[in-house]
Amino acid sequence: MSDMTLAPADIALLTRLADVLIPGTADMPAVGEIADYADLLRRAVAACGYAAADLRAAIDMIPAEVDWEGAKAFSEARPGSFRILGVIVSAAYYMARPVLDRLKFPDDRRHPAADDEFANEYMTGILDPVTERGPVYRDTRQA
């Protein structure tokens, strides 16, 4: 969990970058249409697990004038920083209620596998890398 606090200027830069990277479509809302996007950015930063110094450095590298060409040049010049910011702005976007609703994401219920389905999948070894890695869950509700 990151303990970095976003300043209003950081929110503005990240939102401008998100506007470029995630344009609205006829089916999906634009970032500017998401009323609580700033709060979602804060939650995404808190949940991401990036070091505050890495986040700060990445945000400080966002070009003052963000357009498609500027974002493309930034991604080529600083791929690590661009990846961090891409994760943050897209995570915030995909946590937004209007986006989840339009995707028809079933977040109101769980669909656990049946016992025989679980056993068959488990025997394939599909969970071995996850078990070896250990827990990495970050509860965004606590952010």
Side-chain angles (χ1 to χ4, degrees):
M1 210 179 245
S2 176
D3 61 352
M4 181 177 166
T5 301
L6 294 176
D10 299 333
I11 298 281
L13 280 172
L14 289 168
T15 301
R16 282 197 303 253
L17 180 63
D19 282 334
V20 171
L21 298 179
I22 312 170
T25 66
D27 296 327
M28 297 298 289
V31 170
E33 297 173 27
I34 299 172
D36 58 346
Y37 190 71
D39 292 332
L40 294 171
L41 280 171
R42 289 183 191 96
R43 288 178 62 193
V45 164
C48 73
Y50 294 118
D54 293 339
L55 282 166
R56 175 82 272 142
I59 291 170
D60 289 344
M61 290 180 199
I62 299 174
E65 293 299 320
V66 182
D67 60 7
W68 183 251
E69 291 304 316
K72 183 177 175 185
F74 177 46
S75 73
E76 292 167 354
R78 305 280 188 192
S81 294
F82 184 80
R83 183 181 54 79
I84 289 170
L85 299 175
V87 167
I88 298 298
V89 300
S90 60
Y93 183 78
Y94 286 105
M95 285 191 285
R97 174 55 43 203
V99 174
L100 294 173
D101 289 346
R102 292 196 184 156
L103 290 173
K104 297 181 173 50
F105 188 79
D107 64 345
D108 60 335
R109 61 195 185 281
R110 295 175 188 243
H111 300 283
D115 291 340
D116 61 327
E117 293 171 325
F118 174 77
N120 290 339
E121 285 297 315
Y122 184 76
M123 295 306 292
T124 67
I126 195 168
L127 294 177
D128 292 347
V130 175
T131 304
E132 291 168 11
R133 180 196 69 217
V136 295
Y137 175 75
R138 291 174 182 86
D139 190 349
T140 60
R141 295 172 294 186
Q142 304 300 319

